[in-house]
């Protein structure tokens, strides 16, 4: 089977497995919990036949982006995207491996046939979709950046945030996220109302 056709079939298999797992929903809890759902609950995909692979399916991931993909205590890749890939392989009865690489090399390694599937937080751009088979989004960060519309600021990125004051509520996971992943020292506020007033 040609490599591209095999990858398309593999992406369809993983998409079906993810749908099957997410359709089950969360286990019952003492208190109701609202979990974002990016899937149409009425969507029904046929389960494709698994590829006749003579070797394990090779997943590529990065190990520096918790909680999605990172090195666990034993040094092996883990995280939401990695464990979702492993669960899909188990559901489909496939043997899979997970290899960690630098994030900026993942797509090149896929193109060079050093892996079969990328399990990482790759932004879904038009150029990515034109050259690769992708699943539908299954995770989005719950935080959002808000800026004044009259300032003409670019989309938030680490460089842009370093050049402008960034407000956040003190002691929250969002503050820790800004410090760890955007490497900025944010202006902290005691509550959302105070932060919004400072933005205005």
């Amino acid at each position: 089977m040609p490599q591209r056709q095999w990858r398309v079939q593999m992406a369809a298999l993983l998409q079906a497995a993810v749908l099957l797992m997410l359709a089950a929903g969360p286990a019952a809890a003492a208190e109701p919990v609202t979990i974002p759902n990016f899937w149409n609950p009425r969507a029904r995909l046929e389960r494709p036949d698994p590829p006749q692979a003579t070797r394990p399916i090779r997943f590529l991931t990065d190990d520096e982006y918790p909680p999605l993909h990172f090195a666990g205590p034993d040094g092996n890749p883990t995280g939401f995207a990695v464990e979702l890939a492993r669960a899909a392989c188990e559901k489909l009865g496939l043997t899979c491996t997970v290899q960690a690489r630098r994030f900026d090399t993942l797509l090149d390694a896929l193109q060079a046939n050093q892996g079969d599937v990328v399990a990482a937080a790759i932004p879904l751009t038009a150029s990515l979709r034109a050259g690769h088979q992708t699943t539908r989004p299954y995770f989005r960060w719950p935080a959002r950046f808000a800026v004044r519309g009259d300032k003409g600021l670019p989309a938030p990125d680490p460089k842009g945030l370093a050049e402008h004051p960034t407000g956040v509520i003190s002691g929250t996971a969002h503050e820790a996220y800004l410090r760890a992943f955007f490497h900025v020292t944010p202006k902290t506020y005691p509550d959302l109302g105070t932060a919004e007033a400072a933005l205005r």
Side-chain angles (χ1 to χ4, degrees):
M1 178 182 297
Q3 186 69 23
R4 178 159 174 78
Q5 183 182 354
W6 186 85
R7 282 189 178 147
V8 168
Q9 190 176 15
M10 190 63 223
L13 271 168
L14 291 170
Q15 179 93 9
V18 169
L19 274 175
L20 288 171
M21 289 183 295
L22 294 178
E31 295 180 29
V33 176
T34 302
I35 298 175
N37 185 358
F38 301 110
W39 301 92
N40 178 351
R42 289 180 230 125
R44 298 291 179 261
L45 296 179
E46 290 186 29
R47 181 180 173 140
D49 293 328
Q52 302 303 310
T54 57
R55 57 172 174 71
I57 309 302
R58 300 166 300 165
F59 281 87
L60 303 174
T61 192
D62 166 74
D63 60 3
E64 296 184 353
Y65 198 59
L68 297 181
H69 32 91
F70 60 97
D74 60 359
N76 290 319
T78 189
F80 182 75
V82 174
E83 296 310 318
L84 189 58
R86 287 185 173 131
C89 289
E90 183 178 330
K91 185 98 175 158
L92 297 169
L94 298 171
T95 303
C96 299
T97 64
V98 181
Q99 305 166 19
R101 295 175 179 267
R102 272 193 1 252
F103 184 81
D104 61 337
T105 67
L106 292 175
L107 292 177
D108 291 338
L110 185 66
Q111 286 300 114
N113 198 27
Q114 296 169 0
D116 304 307
V117 183
V118 171
I122 305 281
L124 293 177
T125 62
S127 61
L128 180 76
R129 288 180 189 272
H132 300 82
Q133 188 74 21
T134 65
T135 65
R136 292 184 225 162
Y138 55 83
F139 179 87
R140 289 191 179 103
W141 291 109
R144 298 288 182 264
F145 288 99
V147 299
R148 286 180 41 165
D150 61 349
K151 293 290 185 180
L153 296 174
D157 63 26
K159 183 174 183 257
L161 286 178
E163 296 170 355
H164 301 281
T166 304
V168 69
I169 299 171
S170 178
T172 61
H174 294 146
E175 179 185 0
Y177 180 76
L178 275 172
R179 292 180 187 277
F181 293 101
F182 287 87
H183 308 291
V184 298
T185 302
K187 291 180 119 180
T188 58
Y189 297 93
D191 54 58
L192 182 60
T194 308
E196 288 175 339
L199 179 63
R200 282 193 295 275

